[in-house]
Amino acid sequence: MAQQKAISGFSKMSASEKVRWLKEVHDLSPGDVKNLEQHLHPDEKTQQTYTEFSENTISNFFIPFGLAPNFLVNGKWYVLPMAIEESSVVAAASHAAKFWSAHGGFHAEVEDTVKVGQVHFFWTGDPRAIQDIFKRSLTTLQNSVSSETESMRKRGGGLINLQLINQTENLDHYYQLHTEFRTADAMGANFINTVLEKLAKEWKRLAQEQVGQNNLEGELEISMAILSNYTPDCIVKVWLETETSHLGGFDASYSGEAFAQRFVRAVEVARQDTHRAVTHNKGIFNGLDSVIIATGNDFRAVEACGHAYAARDGVYRSLSYAKVRNGKFRFELKIPLAIGTVGGLTSGHPMARTSLKLLGDPSAEELMMIVAAAGLANNFSAVRSMITGGIQEGHMKMHLANILRQLDATEKQKSAALTFFKKRTVSYSAVKTFISEQP
Ligand code: MEV
């Protein structure tokens, strides 16, 4: 039977009722049902934790949790937890980390950690009148959220800026209360949104009161109160630096100097060409997202912000930058990362807790530097591969290993296949034929 109409009360159904409905109405096969069941956690309490993260949960969707060792960041060693399904990413990060650990490691600094929130509203009256109302209301507005910001202020954060912005040139009657926050070790989304919603209510009340008291013309309508995921002042910078002569070992065809020049030009291409820049930045996000997901942070927020930042001058460009000067190669990444190490999933997800422990329970700023190092490591490895043997060489090795695993190849068959496919194209059927011909 195929579904004929919308279903009501779906969210109230238990997980097994939902699966039964899938079986009946969507012809889910017994194999698929078994698959759903097999991916549930055997421990009921742990499963309950996962179930409650989201809505209408009927199973779990696994992705591998791997480790990238040998990350030396500001002189401190880390093993990075990486949650990612794409092969080669963890290997690429580890490879770059090991190489750079012998050349000073990753240098990193957090430039600032300012987060942004906005109350969007429409005002039909005179722009000068709303400015005056705002000026008269500023202290009351700030005080109105002091109980919400108190504990954050004790941790060194809180509401640090509140301004009125006139946007009527872009949209009729449109204004914003632009707010800035520091949120200590929390990503701070819930905190910011709570403060903004309170500010919005108070702003409406104060404006109405003053319109009445002063016989002003105009109506104020609140549209939305919400944080902005664009945080260009929550910025981390990470860089690698060494003598160009140290870069000679990657490909016999290139001296260290020649490698460095090729590298710089490849990154320059990604600064100038948007098609290349998107792929280049995707390679950076391979590393960033893996650690962000493993530590229970919001990778969609970081991605949206990172891509907007990459286009901040009106053209989408590479987020990283490379140069050679006075015999030294420098490779740098500057990126906004609004992430936290307390609250939300960082403490609620059992694997995120383990990840943070692995990293030595870092502060949010330390995690920003670690995450940025992962991004730069993956970016270095990708560009290095492309300007030397090509990206497929490494990918194909992994691909071959995956196929051999699927085919249950013996150790002897595996080693024969590795030699045979060194200079041949890897495909599932070619490997299968090769294995079937082996003793
Ligand atoms: C693949 O996941 C990422 C790369 O395409 C990145 C790049 O091209 O720089 C290899």
Side-chain angles (χ1 to χ4, degrees):
M1 177 175 83
Q3 185 171 354
Q4 303 292 335
K5 58 181 171 63
I7 176 167
S8 307
F10 189 71
S11 64
K12 307 258 170 359
M13 285 158 63
S14 69
S16 47
E17 283 168 340
K18 288 186 178 87
V19 172
R20 203 172 317 129
W21 176 81
L22 282 180
K23 270 200 299 197
E24 283 166 12
V25 179
H26 287 275
D27 292 333
L28 198 72
S29 73
D32 289 325
V33 173
K34 195 166 163 212
N35 201 19
L36 291 172
E37 282 164 4
Q38 278 175 342
H39 286 83
L40 285 166
H41 199 283
D43 176 57
E44 233 173 83
K45 204 162 156 241
T46 308
Q47 181 53 50
Q48 192 61 18
T49 304
Y50 290 121
T51 298
E52 287 172 6
F53 285 146
S54 180
E55 304 77 36
N56 293 339
T57 309
I58 57 167
S59 187
N60 305 305
F61 188 98
F62 293 169
I63 57 170
F65 178 86
L67 295 177
N70 295 320
F71 268 81
L72 185 63
V73 184
N74 290 344
K76 188 169 165 189
W77 291 98
Y78 296 94
V79 51
L80 265 52
M82 298 181 87
I84 180 137
E85 84 300 343
E86 184 177 331
S87 64
S88 301
V89 171
V90 176
S94 311
H95 191 267
K98 178 123 184 258
F99 172 80
W100 282 101
S101 70
H103 299 283
F106 296 83
H107 312 274
E109 64 190 33
V110 170
E111 292 190 350
D112 211 336
T113 58
V114 175
K115 317 271 168 68
V116 174
Q118 299 168 307
V119 177
H120 305 273
F121 68 94
F122 293 86
W123 162 251
T124 55
D126 184 340
R128 278 166 308 185
I130 199 70
Q131 277 291 356
D132 289 342
I133 293 176
F134 178 73
K135 267 189 215 141
R136 285 196 294 270
S137 309
L138 184 56
T139 310
T140 317
L141 265 177
Q142 280 163 333
N143 290 342
S144 74
V145 291
S146 63
S147 62
E148 282 77 11
T149 58
E150 188 185 350
S151 93
M152 198 54 94
R153 273 185 278 126
K154 283 189 184 141
R155 289 187 271 153
L159 175 64
I160 55 169
N161 189 12
L162 174 54
Q163 279 173 274
L164 175 75
I165 297 183
N166 182 335
Q167 289 274 17
T168 51
E169 276 193 12
N170 301 320
L171 184 62
D172 283 351
H173 309 305
Y174 171 41
Y175 297 80
Q176 299 170 349
L177 291 185
H178 174 93
T179 61
E180 291 179 349
F181 297 83
R182 286 212 182 80
T183 56
D185 284 328
M187 189 270 190
N190 277 332
F191 162 70
I192 294 174
N193 287 333
T194 304
V195 172
L196 289 174
E197 288 189 2
K198 179 98 183 270
L199 275 177
K201 265 199 196 123
E202 191 62 9
W203 174 230
K204 169 124 184 143
R205 188 188 69 75
L206 286 165
Q208 268 172 346
E209 194 176 270
Q210 294 189 44
V211 166
Q213 280 168 2
N214 301 303
N215 271 332
L216 295 170
E217 295 268 313
E219 265 181 43
L220 187 144
E221 182 198 330
I222 301 287
S223 174
M224 299 171 277
I226 189 78
L227 96 165
S228 168
N229 285 122
Y230 188 49
T231 54
D233 292 316
C234 185
I235 287 271
V236 58
K237 187 165 95 181
V238 60
W239 67 100
L240 296 161
E241 198 163 41
T242 193
E243 316 288 321
T244 51
S245 57
H246 293 159
L247 301 172
F250 292 116
D251 189 310
S253 322
Y254 304 112
S255 67
E257 287 71 23
F259 174 90
Q261 289 299 348
R262 278 177 69 71
F263 197 103
V264 168
R265 293 180 80 174
V267 178
E268 207 46 45
V269 169
R271 289 195 76 75
Q272 302 310 326
D273 178 75
T274 297
H275 278 91
R276 174 60 205 142
V278 171
T279 319
H280 180 97
N281 289 345
K282 188 273 184 187
I284 295 174
F285 278 100
N286 277 345
L288 297 174
D289 284 346
S290 305
V291 184
I292 286 174
I293 293 171
T295 54
N297 276 285
D298 181 346
F299 66 95
R300 285 91 54 211
V302 169
E303 287 255 0
C305 179
H307 295 302
Y309 189 71
R312 65 193 178 283
D313 70 2
V315 178
Y316 187 97
R317 299 185 190 282
S318 151
L319 285 160
S320 61
Y321 168 76
K323 72 174 180 195
V324 172
R325 193 166 295 162
N326 300 329
K328 276 207 166 167
F329 167 81
R330 183 182 165 108
F331 187 36
E332 181 182 307
L333 167 69
K334 205 168 158 179
I335 186 160
L337 289 179
I339 53 178
T341 54
V342 298
L345 222 57
T346 61
S347 10
H349 195 295
M351 293 301 286
R353 280 201 299 272
T354 298
S355 292
L356 289 167
K357 219 179 213 167
L358 260 174
L359 294 171
D361 285 322
S363 65
E365 292 197 16
E366 190 179 352
L367 185 62
M368 286 167 76
M369 296 190 274
I370 296 168
V371 167
L376 193 62
N378 273 103
N379 193 202
F380 179 81
S381 280
V383 177
R384 174 195 57 77
S385 306
M386 286 179 293
I387 61 165
T388 55
I391 203 81
Q392 286 308 86
E393 204 175 77
H395 264 301
M396 279 305 148
K397 242 191 243 159
M398 300 280 176
H399 188 43
L400 177 59
N402 285 341
I403 296 173
L404 289 168
R405 206 172 314 116
Q406 281 171 36
L407 292 171
D408 279 332
T410 63
E411 286 309 312
K412 207 166 154 211
Q413 289 169 334
K414 278 185 194 164
S415 118
L418 286 177
T419 313
F420 183 80
F421 283 101
K422 218 171 209 154
K423 293 219 166 349
R424 290 182 177 82
T425 308
V426 177
S427 72
Y428 185 84
S429 59
V431 179
K432 195 170 173 194
T433 309
F434 176 80
I435 294 295
S436 69
E437 287 163 356
Q438 296 302 297

